[in-house]
Amino acid sequence: MPSTVREYQDAILKAKKEKGFAILAHTYQSPEIVEVADFTGDSFALSKKAMGITEKNVLMCGVRFMAETVKLLSPEKRVLLAAPDAGCPMAEQFVREEIEDYRADHPDVLVVCYVNTTTDLKRACDVCVTSASALDIMRKLPTDREILFIPDCNLGAYVQAAYPDRKITLWRGGCPVHAAISKEETVAAKAKHPTAKLLVHPECKPDVTALADYIGSTSGIMKYAAESDAKEFIIGTEISVVWHLSYRFPDTKFYPLSKNLVCRNMRLTSLPDVLAAVKGEGGEEIVLDEATMKEARVCIDKMIELG
Ligand code: SF4
């Protein structure tokens, strides 16, 4: 049995080749997992990557809704989640019946859901968005319809601020990691690093994003940092992004906005989990029935059409 990081990584690379696996790692995974992945990125980018690969087996190192999204876009592939307990509290905040009840009272509503939702919830939604595409897709939706934007009220508030004339209804959902960051912490971080640019994710609260130099998705934050001439950044998203940027740009300083920006669910995947899954001894295969997949695909297909 392997006993070091390097030995685990070597065993994973060997087994994934023998068993015909592609490994997807969300950007919030730790560096030792990113190193064995075929692709790294945000959840929807990974799902699109999986559509174009030849491997029949796909292992998602991330949380459950991400593995489900891969399955929805590539139903012919065998998709496994490396750490079966890894969920996303935000994705599970609402259930389909709540949307259906709202629709019954508001028959003209358009339901827009963040990709961070369960497959079952997606069945009740009209259009899906990512944090990178939300503003653009909103621009393409009919202006005379009420929008119910779920589940993240902070991302929803960011969208509302860009379209102040639109009727956008928000519910009280959100990411417990990003939403926990306070304005006071943010002011303190800026005071500690006065020349650093503050880059934050729109899942943070509006009084935090109001202080930012840039608001964007994780991939947007990484792109901004890569293209900027600045040499110091405060990163207002999951702390792993600080690690990845620090590796890529060793001459630039990256500070976490808060040491509490840690998603415990993203930390659940370990190298032993990955090895067990690619050897056929662990992980969980994502199984969705055809009718569910067909209904849940509607809002994703609409996103692809509009995006
Ligand atoms: S960071 Fe937030 S939205 Fe992302 S998986 Fe963790 S809890 Fe869910």
Side-chain angles (χ1 to χ4, degrees):
M1 277 298 286
S3 58
T4 65
V5 167
R6 172 59 73 83
E7 286 173 6
Y8 266 103
Q9 289 179 323
D10 288 346
I12 289 166
L13 294 174
K14 184 166 176 281
K16 94 179 168 79
K17 205 168 175 187
E18 285 170 1
K19 305 279 185 179
F21 264 94
I23 299 180
L24 311 179
H26 187 268
T27 314
Y28 294 171
Q29 292 292 297
S30 53
E32 68 268 21
I33 288 178
V34 166
E35 281 174 7
V36 294
D38 296 281
F39 303 105
T40 304
D42 60 33
S43 58
F44 195 63
L46 290 175
S47 300
K48 284 200 293 189
K49 279 280 183 206
M51 292 170 80
I53 60 176
T54 52
E55 288 88 346
K56 294 276 176 282
N57 302 302
V58 180
L59 181 67
M60 170 57 81
C61 302
V63 298
R64 183 168 293 272
F65 83 82
M66 297 173 181
E68 289 183 352
T69 309
V70 174
K71 183 71 183 174
L72 287 175
L73 287 183
S74 301
E76 75 290 356
K77 294 195 192 306
R78 187 168 159 262
V79 179
L80 276 80
L81 177 62
D85 289 339
C88 167
M90 171 157 70
E92 294 157 16
Q93 266 158 349
F94 301 116
V95 295
R96 181 166 47 90
E97 290 72 19
E98 291 171 276
I99 308 293
E100 288 169 351
D101 288 349
Y102 192 84
R103 270 192 198 283
D105 294 336
H106 304 79
D108 201 40
V109 74
L110 266 177
V111 183
V112 177
C113 68
Y114 194 13
V115 69
N116 301 29
T117 40
T118 63
T119 297
D120 195 49
L121 195 61
K122 285 187 177 78
R123 292 168 63 195
C125 300
D126 297 301
V127 192
C128 191
V129 297
T130 65
S131 50
S133 69
L135 294 183
D136 191 42
I137 287 181
M138 273 296 297
R139 188 169 55 77
K140 295 169 182 166
L141 296 178
T143 52
D144 57 345
R145 305 269 302 269
E146 176 196 355
I147 304 288
L148 171 62
F149 189 100
I150 57 161
D152 187 352
C153 65
N154 292 320
L155 179 61
Y158 169 67
V159 171
Q160 176 77 82
Y163 298 97
D165 299 334
R166 306 290 298 269
K167 178 169 170 40
I168 302 177
T169 302
L170 305 175
W171 287 354
R172 291 182 62 79
C175 165
V177 179
H178 290 87
I181 304 307
S182 68
K183 178 183 174 185
E184 291 70 27
E185 270 177 295
T186 310
V187 170
K190 281 172 71 95
K192 194 169 172 191
H193 307 292
T195 59
K197 284 196 179 294
L198 174 62
L199 318 183
V200 303
H201 198 284
E203 289 173 17
C204 292
K205 288 187 288 199
D207 59 358
V208 171
T209 55
L211 299 170
D213 295 291
Y214 172 78
I215 307 165
S217 63
T218 301
S219 49
I221 287 174
M222 295 182 83
K223 186 167 183 285
Y224 184 99
E227 293 174 356
S228 170
D229 293 333
K231 285 291 165 201
E232 283 185 280
F233 297 93
I234 303 166
I235 302 298
T237 190
E238 219 274 347
I239 204 159
S240 54
V241 175
V242 174
W243 308 336
H244 299 313
L245 285 169
S246 301
Y247 287 160
R248 275 181 65 193
F249 306 105
D251 296 333
T252 304
K253 293 211 177 323
F254 298 97
Y255 312 108
L257 172 53
S258 163
K259 64 181 182 336
N260 296 323
L261 270 164
V262 177
C263 176
R264 285 184 298 132
N265 282 277
M266 283 288 182
R267 290 289 96 73
L268 287 178
T269 309
S270 65
L271 286 174
D273 291 334
V274 178
L275 180 58
V278 291
K279 285 172 76 178
E281 299 165 1
E284 180 186 321
E285 183 175 355
I286 301 298
V287 179
L288 300 168
D289 67 72
E290 250 181 61
T292 298
M293 285 201 279
K294 197 171 168 209
E295 287 179 15
R297 264 295 292 247
V298 171
C299 67
I300 294 182
D301 287 343
K302 194 70 187 170
M303 168 170 72
I304 293 168
E305 179 196 323
L306 295 175

Short mmCIF file of all heavy atoms in Angstrom, two decimals, residues 26 28 63 65-66 87-91 114 116 174-178 203 238 262-266, ligand 1:
data_model
loop_
_atom_site.label_atom_id
_atom_site.label_comp_id
_atom_site.label_asym_id
_atom_site.label_seq_id
_atom_site.Cartn_x
_atom_site.Cartn_y
_atom_site.Cartn_z
N HIS A 26 -12.43 19.84 -9.07
CA HIS A 26 -12.87 21.22 -8.95
C HIS A 26 -11.72 22.07 -8.43
O HIS A 26 -10.85 21.58 -7.69
CB HIS A 26 -14.08 21.32 -7.99
CG HIS A 26 -14.68 22.68 -7.96
ND1 HIS A 26 -14.30 23.64 -7.05
CD2 HIS A 26 -15.61 23.26 -8.76
CE1 HIS A 26 -14.99 24.75 -7.29
NE2 HIS A 26 -15.79 24.55 -8.31
N TYR A 28 -11.51 24.01 -6.11
CA TYR A 28 -11.39 24.08 -4.66
C TYR A 28 -10.74 22.83 -4.04
O TYR A 28 -10.62 22.73 -2.83
CB TYR A 28 -12.76 24.26 -4.01
CG TYR A 28 -13.45 25.57 -4.29
CD1 TYR A 28 -14.78 25.78 -3.90
CD2 TYR A 28 -12.81 26.62 -4.93
CE1 TYR A 28 -15.43 26.97 -4.15
CE2 TYR A 28 -13.46 27.81 -5.19
CZ TYR A 28 -14.78 27.98 -4.79
OH TYR A 28 -15.43 29.17 -5.05
N VAL A 63 -18.05 18.01 -5.16
CA VAL A 63 -19.24 17.68 -4.37
C VAL A 63 -20.33 17.10 -5.29
O VAL A 63 -20.22 17.14 -6.51
CB VAL A 63 -19.76 18.91 -3.58
CG1 VAL A 63 -18.71 19.37 -2.58
CG2 VAL A 63 -20.17 20.03 -4.50
N PHE A 65 -23.44 17.69 -6.42
CA PHE A 65 -24.17 18.28 -7.55
C PHE A 65 -23.25 18.37 -8.78
O PHE A 65 -23.72 18.37 -9.92
CB PHE A 65 -24.77 19.65 -7.17
CG PHE A 65 -23.81 20.82 -7.27
CD1 PHE A 65 -23.55 21.44 -8.47
CD2 PHE A 65 -23.18 21.29 -6.13
CE1 PHE A 65 -22.67 22.52 -8.55
CE2 PHE A 65 -22.31 22.36 -6.19
CZ PHE A 65 -22.04 22.97 -7.41
N MET A 66 -21.93 18.46 -8.54
CA MET A 66 -21.00 18.55 -9.67
C MET A 66 -20.96 17.22 -10.43
O MET A 66 -20.95 17.20 -11.67
CB MET A 66 -19.61 18.91 -9.17
CG MET A 66 -19.57 20.28 -8.51
SD MET A 66 -17.99 20.62 -7.74
CE MET A 66 -18.37 22.25 -7.08
N GLY A 87 -21.25 16.83 0.02
CA GLY A 87 -22.43 17.52 -0.52
C GLY A 87 -22.16 19.00 -0.57
O GLY A 87 -21.08 19.46 -0.22
N CYS A 88 -23.15 19.76 -1.00
CA CYS A 88 -23.03 21.22 -0.97
C CYS A 88 -24.25 21.73 -0.23
O CYS A 88 -25.37 21.59 -0.71
CB CYS A 88 -22.99 21.79 -2.38
SG CYS A 88 -23.21 23.59 -2.40
N PRO A 89 -24.07 22.32 0.96
CA PRO A 89 -25.22 22.78 1.74
C PRO A 89 -26.10 23.74 0.95
O PRO A 89 -27.33 23.70 1.08
CB PRO A 89 -24.59 23.48 2.94
CG PRO A 89 -23.20 22.94 3.03
CD PRO A 89 -22.79 22.55 1.63
N MET A 90 -25.50 24.57 0.10
CA MET A 90 -26.33 25.51 -0.66
C MET A 90 -27.20 24.76 -1.67
O MET A 90 -28.38 25.08 -1.84
CB MET A 90 -25.48 26.53 -1.38
CG MET A 90 -26.28 27.38 -2.36
SD MET A 90 -25.56 28.93 -2.76
CE MET A 90 -24.16 28.46 -3.72
N ALA A 91 -26.62 23.79 -2.34
CA ALA A 91 -27.37 23.07 -3.37
C ALA A 91 -28.60 22.37 -2.79
O ALA A 91 -29.58 22.14 -3.49
CB ALA A 91 -26.46 22.05 -4.06
N TYR A 114 -29.03 28.68 -10.00
CA TYR A 114 -27.57 28.55 -10.02
C TYR A 114 -27.27 27.07 -10.29
O TYR A 114 -28.03 26.19 -9.86
CB TYR A 114 -27.08 28.97 -8.64
CG TYR A 114 -25.61 29.26 -8.47
CD1 TYR A 114 -24.74 29.41 -9.55
CD2 TYR A 114 -25.09 29.42 -7.19
CE1 TYR A 114 -23.41 29.69 -9.34
CE2 TYR A 114 -23.76 29.72 -6.97
CZ TYR A 114 -22.91 29.83 -8.06
OH TYR A 114 -21.60 30.11 -7.85
N ASN A 116 -25.33 25.33 -8.85
CA ASN A 116 -25.16 24.69 -7.54
C ASN A 116 -26.52 24.33 -6.95
O ASN A 116 -26.98 24.89 -5.95
CB ASN A 116 -24.46 25.65 -6.56
CG ASN A 116 -23.10 26.08 -7.02
OD1 ASN A 116 -22.84 26.16 -8.23
ND2 ASN A 116 -22.21 26.37 -6.09
N GLY A 174 -27.92 30.47 0.36
CA GLY A 174 -26.58 30.98 0.08
C GLY A 174 -25.51 29.99 0.50
O GLY A 174 -25.79 28.96 1.11
N CYS A 175 -24.30 30.31 0.12
CA CYS A 175 -23.16 29.46 0.46
C CYS A 175 -22.69 29.79 1.87
O CYS A 175 -22.30 30.94 2.13
CB CYS A 175 -22.02 29.68 -0.54
SG CYS A 175 -20.46 29.00 0.04
N PRO A 176 -22.71 28.82 2.78
CA PRO A 176 -22.33 29.13 4.16
C PRO A 176 -20.87 29.52 4.31
O PRO A 176 -20.50 30.15 5.30
CB PRO A 176 -22.62 27.81 4.91
CG PRO A 176 -22.68 26.76 3.86
CD PRO A 176 -23.11 27.42 2.59
N VAL A 177 -20.05 29.18 3.32
CA VAL A 177 -18.62 29.53 3.40
C VAL A 177 -18.43 31.00 3.00
O VAL A 177 -17.89 31.81 3.76
CB VAL A 177 -17.79 28.59 2.49
CG1 VAL A 177 -16.32 28.96 2.54
CG2 VAL A 177 -18.01 27.13 2.88
N HIS A 178 -18.90 31.35 1.83
CA HIS A 178 -18.71 32.73 1.35
C HIS A 178 -19.57 33.74 2.13
O HIS A 178 -19.12 34.85 2.40
CB HIS A 178 -19.06 32.82 -0.14
CG HIS A 178 -18.07 32.15 -1.04
ND1 HIS A 178 -18.15 30.81 -1.35
CD2 HIS A 178 -16.97 32.62 -1.68
CE1 HIS A 178 -17.14 30.49 -2.16
NE2 HIS A 178 -16.42 31.56 -2.37
N GLU A 203 -20.79 35.11 -4.39
CA GLU A 203 -21.51 34.43 -3.30
C GLU A 203 -21.28 35.13 -1.96
O GLU A 203 -21.92 34.80 -0.97
CB GLU A 203 -21.06 32.96 -3.21
CG GLU A 203 -21.54 32.10 -4.36
CD GLU A 203 -20.94 30.70 -4.35
OE1 GLU A 203 -20.41 30.27 -3.30
OE2 GLU A 203 -20.98 30.03 -5.39
N GLU A 238 -12.84 30.55 -1.80
CA GLU A 238 -12.31 29.40 -1.04
C GLU A 238 -10.77 29.44 -0.98
O GLU A 238 -10.11 29.78 -1.98
CB GLU A 238 -12.79 28.11 -1.70
CG GLU A 238 -13.15 27.02 -0.71
CD GLU A 238 -12.01 26.16 -0.24
OE1 GLU A 238 -10.94 26.23 -0.86
OE2 GLU A 238 -12.19 25.41 0.73
N VAL A 262 -13.05 28.17 4.11
CA VAL A 262 -12.71 26.77 3.88
C VAL A 262 -14.02 25.99 3.71
O VAL A 262 -14.88 26.01 4.61
CB VAL A 262 -11.91 26.19 5.07
CG1 VAL A 262 -11.64 24.70 4.84
CG2 VAL A 262 -10.61 26.95 5.27
N CYS A 263 -14.18 25.34 2.56
CA CYS A 263 -15.35 24.50 2.36
C CYS A 263 -15.03 23.09 2.85
O CYS A 263 -14.24 22.38 2.23
CB CYS A 263 -15.75 24.48 0.89
SG CYS A 263 -17.14 23.36 0.60
N ARG A 264 -15.64 22.71 3.95
CA ARG A 264 -15.32 21.40 4.54
C ARG A 264 -15.72 20.26 3.61
O ARG A 264 -15.10 19.21 3.58
CB ARG A 264 -16.03 21.25 5.90
CG ARG A 264 -15.35 22.08 7.00
CD ARG A 264 -15.97 21.86 8.34
NE ARG A 264 -17.37 22.27 8.34
CZ ARG A 264 -18.35 21.54 8.81
NH1 ARG A 264 -18.12 20.36 9.33
NH2 ARG A 264 -19.59 21.99 8.79
N ASN A 265 -16.77 20.47 2.83
CA ASN A 265 -17.19 19.43 1.89
C ASN A 265 -16.16 19.22 0.79
O ASN A 265 -15.93 18.09 0.35
CB ASN A 265 -18.55 19.78 1.30
CG ASN A 265 -19.66 19.48 2.27
OD1 ASN A 265 -20.11 18.35 2.36
ND2 ASN A 265 -20.09 20.48 3.05
N MET A 266 -15.55 20.29 0.35
CA MET A 266 -14.50 20.16 -0.68
C MET A 266 -13.25 19.48 -0.12
O MET A 266 -12.47 18.91 -0.86
CB MET A 266 -14.14 21.55 -1.22
CG MET A 266 -15.16 22.08 -2.18
SD MET A 266 -15.08 21.18 -3.74
CE MET A 266 -16.32 22.07 -4.66
S1 SF4 B 1 -17.93 26.56 -1.32
FE1 SF4 B 1 -20.13 26.89 -0.85
S2 SF4 B 1 -21.18 26.60 -2.83
FE2 SF4 B 1 -19.11 25.68 -3.03
S3 SF4 B 1 -19.40 23.52 -2.50
FE3 SF4 B 1 -18.77 24.58 -0.61
S4 SF4 B 1 -20.73 25.11 0.38
FE4 SF4 B 1 -21.22 24.60 -1.74
#
